[in-house]
Amino acid sequence: MSEPTTLVSRHLTSDGVVTWTRCACGRLRMDLVPAGGGQGLAAGPCPHRAVSPRGA
């Protein structure tokens, strides 16, 4: 089961949408959903959160 997360910020960039979230344990996570589709990118994934970048 995933721990709750808090949306910190969401920004539209030339590459797509960048979303920063904070896990209940305090860790930050960055997700990029590319504007042209394709595979997303995640940085700082928390082991408590098993969600793909598109699910963020």
Side-chain angles (χ1 to χ4, degrees):
M1 182 171 176
S2 296
E3 300 228 354
T5 60
T6 302
L7 178 64
V8 177
S9 66
R10 181 173 288 155
H11 305 280
L12 181 60
T13 69
S14 59
D15 291 323
V17 178
V18 174
T19 303
W20 287 90
T21 54
R22 184 175 301 277
C23 180
C25 72
R27 294 182 184 179
L28 277 174
R29 174 182 169 125
M30 183 280 303
D31 292 295
L32 168 66
V33 178
Q39 184 161 348
L41 174 71
C46 180
H48 301 112
R49 188 167 170 233
V51 176
S52 70
R54 291 203 178 273

